[in-house]
Amino acid sequence: MNHKEALKAPIFKTISEAAELLGAECYVIGGFVRDYLLQRGNAKDIDIVIVGSGVQLAKTVADRLEGKPKVTVFKNFGTAMIKGDDLEVEFVGARKESYDRNSRKPIVENGTLKDDQNRRDFTINALALSLAKNSFGDLIDPFAGLQDLENKCIRTPLEPGVTYSDDPLRMLRAIRFASQLKFTIQKESLAAIAKHKKRLKIVSKERIVDELHKILASPKPSIGLSLLHKTELLPYILPELIALEGIEEIEGQRHKDNFWHTLEVVDNIAETTENLWLRWAALLHDIGKAPTKKFHKKIGWTFHGHEFVGSKMVYRLFKRLRMPLNDKMKFVQKMVLMSSRPIVLSEDYVTDSAVRRLVFDAGEHVEDLMTLCEADITTKNPRKQRRYKNNFQRVRNKIVEVENRDHIRNFQPPISGAEIMETFDLKPSREIGVIKEAIKEAILEGTIPNEYAAAKEYMKEKGIALGLSPKK
Ligand code: ATP
Ligand code: MG
């Protein structure tokens, strides 16, 4: 089969000519070909394999391109890269790989195209299009990858046990592709993953997290997450989630299975936001429930303080996975910590002051928090479902109303410490903090509006009550 139309971009002609000049066979391979055949939009990452030297090809191509772009050479891998404005082309010499059991790094020798296709992870990633002049666009598909694309199947070119144990990162890649593309992993492959799960230990945390991000960013993350569960890889990655699995029953009282509930919440939120960190918050919002679970004879199951415990666990989890301990982590912590606040509000009559406090505490993230809480509704009872949604809509409306009037979101104290010192002729002292806090509280409670004049009046009253006297 010929797919010339995949190779319309001028870069392919340039590469073809350069390869001809070097007298070597050359192909586009992997993700670009797969995504073209799936019509997933034109990929910006292009992988080129040459039966010869990738570095030499890259240099020859760069020489023939306008502006002579820089070639980045990765000596250790024998590969080279050219980066354009919206294009990244990687050049690699076809190779044969053999593996050592203790690392993901193979021993590499030069090889044929077939050798190179053999070392690829999946049949759908081993598809190649020829760039030779007389066969330009011909598909080379030794493992029936095209058929697997049609059947939406993830399968390895070699015996699955070999492919996964050689490089256990492929186990996560299989699951990630299944989640991204909504493909099924072939039965033998799935069994091999489960069998070799322990090999995940030799994969770096960074690579594991990369794949986790991609699973979470996929349209229905529960596909990937439940495969991680089914293959028993999850305990090696996120034991906190596994601890949520199961339903306990005492004296006829049951709690829900918080693992499967969490997966539903993540799917729900994936429908309303692309924000990866908000998706992480959904994934982790209940992790504090395992260590806080208790049964009480009178009231049944409780998870007191799980939000606080959960937010502490987020830090340890990020640290263990070598994820950044920056504002993203703090955002996830904050979402977990506050994850029940709007729920409490929506169940009760909503007072303005409760809404002001919510907005004050959530600040710029109040919408994200509401999105998380709405995703948390997983009841199958349509009446309850509707009632909860309506309640949250009420809270949202109230947030808008209160915000328009009181501007709490980016709260700045209307009276500064300097003005308090000036008014009462004070040196820096404890009283200043007390007065400032009292003003903030009065605004949040609704005793006074969030305005300068009212706050100034209130400051004077408070100061006098503390035994201070305003300067004349
Ligand atoms: P995407 O870029 O969308 O994540 P991709 O298939 O292009 O998908 P890359 O990581 O860019 O994935 O890798 C490019 C190609 O290199 C793959 O299509 C595959 O053929 C091969 N490849 C990547 N990682 C591995 C691996 N661990 N084992 C075997 N082959 C791999
Ligand atoms: Mg790619």
Side-chain angles (χ1 to χ4, degrees):
M1 229 183 307
N2 188 278
H3 296 277
K4 266 195 199 70
E5 71 278 19
L7 309 176
K8 277 197 297 229
I11 183 79
F12 291 112
K13 186 144 181 283
T14 312
I15 298 171
S16 173
E17 287 165 2
E20 182 158 282
L21 206 70
L22 298 174
E25 286 171 50
C26 158
Y27 307 84
V28 201
I29 195 162
F32 177 89
V33 182
R34 178 197 69 223
D35 289 346
Y36 168 77
L37 293 168
L38 286 174
Q39 301 176 306
R40 282 184 91 212
N42 55 336
K44 304 288 177 235
D45 285 358
I46 300 175
D47 292 293
I48 303 293
V49 52
I50 176 173
V51 184
S53 158
V55 177
Q56 198 186 17
L57 178 63
K59 288 184 172 156
T60 313
V61 169
D63 265 347
R64 301 169 73 87
L65 287 172
E66 210 181 313
K68 300 227 180 344
K70 198 175 129 230
V71 175
T72 312
V73 175
F74 304 97
K75 270 217 188 85
N76 296 346
F77 301 98
T79 66
M81 191 178 76
I82 299 177
K83 227 175 176 155
D85 290 339
D86 55 351
L87 219 62
E88 208 175 289
V89 191
E90 198 160 332
F91 298 85
V92 47
R95 61 202 199 189
K96 200 171 168 166
E97 292 182 345
S98 43
Y99 284 82
D100 168 5
R101 271 198 66 78
N102 299 315
S103 105
R104 290 190 45 233
K105 266 208 212 99
I107 302 155
V108 177
E109 314 162 58
N110 293 339
T112 61
L113 172 68
K114 184 71 198 278
D115 291 328
D116 198 276
Q117 286 175 306
N118 272 324
R119 73 167 181 94
R120 302 269 158 181
D121 47 5
F122 309 113
T123 61
I124 60 169
N125 285 346
L127 294 162
L129 296 178
S130 169
L131 290 177
K133 203 171 173 187
N134 55 6
S135 57
F136 197 73
D138 279 3
L139 179 70
I140 294 114
D141 177 16
F143 314 111
L146 192 60
Q147 207 178 344
D148 287 337
L149 276 185
E150 276 160 17
N151 298 337
K152 296 177 172 287
C153 177
I154 293 178
R155 201 162 56 85
T156 56
L158 307 178
E159 198 266 303
V162 176
T163 297
Y164 293 117
S165 127
D166 274 354
D167 176 2
L169 175 66
R170 294 166 181 163
M171 309 196 280
L172 291 182
R173 284 175 58 90
I175 291 173
R176 179 260 285 198
F177 283 119
S179 209
Q180 280 181 325
L181 306 173
K182 299 197 173 165
F183 274 36
T184 311
I185 300 176
Q186 180 217 26
K187 218 169 72 229
E188 291 80 352
S189 231
L190 210 53
I193 295 176
K195 183 169 165 206
H196 293 287
K197 62 187 183 213
K198 288 207 178 83
R199 302 270 299 146
L200 196 66
K201 285 191 191 128
I202 66 163
V203 180
S204 76
K205 299 282 194 304
E206 288 78 2
R207 299 307 298 264
I208 293 177
V209 168
D210 269 355
E211 299 301 326
L212 265 184
H213 282 334
K214 287 178 180 169
I215 291 170
L216 272 181
S218 69
K220 194 167 184 250
S222 69
I223 297 177
L225 293 167
S226 55
L227 284 168
L228 289 176
H229 173 264
K230 186 171 179 178
T231 53
E232 294 177 5
L233 287 170
L234 201 52
Y236 295 88
I237 308 173
L238 295 167
E240 295 85 351
L241 284 184
I242 290 296
L244 296 176
E245 194 189 8
I247 298 174
E248 243 186 287
E249 180 169 336
I250 299 183
E251 297 175 5
Q253 307 228 47
R254 293 152 64 93
H255 63 77
K256 64 173 174 258
D257 184 315
N258 283 302
F259 174 72
W260 295 104
H261 161 71
T262 293
L263 265 46
E264 279 185 64
V265 178
V266 175
D267 279 353
N268 285 345
I269 212 159
E271 282 182 16
T272 49
T273 180
E274 297 289 325
N275 180 343
L276 178 66
W277 300 103
L278 191 49
R279 291 180 179 202
W280 266 102
L283 185 68
L284 304 182
H285 80 287
D286 270 349
I287 52 174
K289 281 191 173 173
T292 57
K293 182 165 98 171
K294 284 209 173 67
F295 182 79
H296 307 261
K297 269 194 175 323
K298 289 214 180 86
I299 46 175
W301 294 101
T302 64
F303 305 91
H304 281 313
H306 79 83
E307 302 87 348
F308 179 74
V309 172
S311 74
K312 298 282 163 212
M313 289 167 75
V314 167
Y315 172 82
R316 294 198 292 272
L317 185 154
F318 269 52
K319 193 162 176 188
R320 185 188 69 232
L321 290 176
R322 305 231 177 89
M323 305 220 299
L325 302 173
N326 57 11
D327 54 322
K328 305 294 185 222
M329 191 271 303
K330 292 206 180 101
F331 167 77
V332 176
Q333 280 194 305
K334 186 170 172 182
M335 289 296 105
V336 173
L337 181 64
M338 295 193 70
S339 57
S340 304
R341 290 275 299 272
I343 300 173
V344 177
L345 272 191
S346 72
E347 281 167 354
D348 258 336
Y349 170 73
V350 200
T351 63
D352 284 9
S353 65
V355 170
R356 270 193 298 270
R357 283 185 190 281
L358 178 73
V359 175
F360 177 78
D361 291 338
E364 57 177 328
H365 301 307
V366 69
E367 254 99 54
D368 285 341
L369 183 62
M370 293 305 294
T371 304
L372 174 60
C373 286
E374 280 156 350
D376 203 3
I377 306 174
T378 59
T379 172
K380 299 292 169 296
N381 175 335
R383 235 186 35 244
K384 279 192 185 167
Q385 169 95 232
R386 206 159 347 110
R387 196 176 80 228
Y388 295 159
K389 285 207 168 129
N390 285 341
N391 287 351
F392 279 130
Q393 191 52 50
R394 243 184 34 232
V395 176
R396 274 189 188 267
N397 293 345
K398 199 90 186 176
I399 289 172
V400 173
E401 182 194 317
V402 165
E403 190 48 25
N404 283 339
R405 197 178 55 224
D406 302 332
H407 313 288
I408 297 296
R409 185 172 307 218
N410 300 307
F411 183 83
Q412 296 294 335
I415 302 282
S416 70
E419 186 161 1
I420 301 171
M421 294 203 298
E422 165 68 28
T423 308
F424 295 105
D425 199 14
L426 284 173
K427 296 243 151 30
S429 59
R430 198 184 62 89
E431 281 87 350
I432 301 160
V434 173
I435 295 173
K436 270 182 95 169
E437 183 62 20
I439 297 172
K440 186 195 93 190
E441 277 298 311
I443 292 169
L444 292 179
E445 265 314 302
T447 319
I448 59 167
N450 186 13
E451 286 161 11
Y452 176 75
K456 179 140 192 184
E457 201 45 46
Y458 192 78
M459 166 189 74
K460 283 189 184 154
E461 276 173 37
K462 268 287 143 189
I464 291 167
L466 284 171
L468 304 171
S469 38
K471 250 186 353 189
K472 286 285 165 324

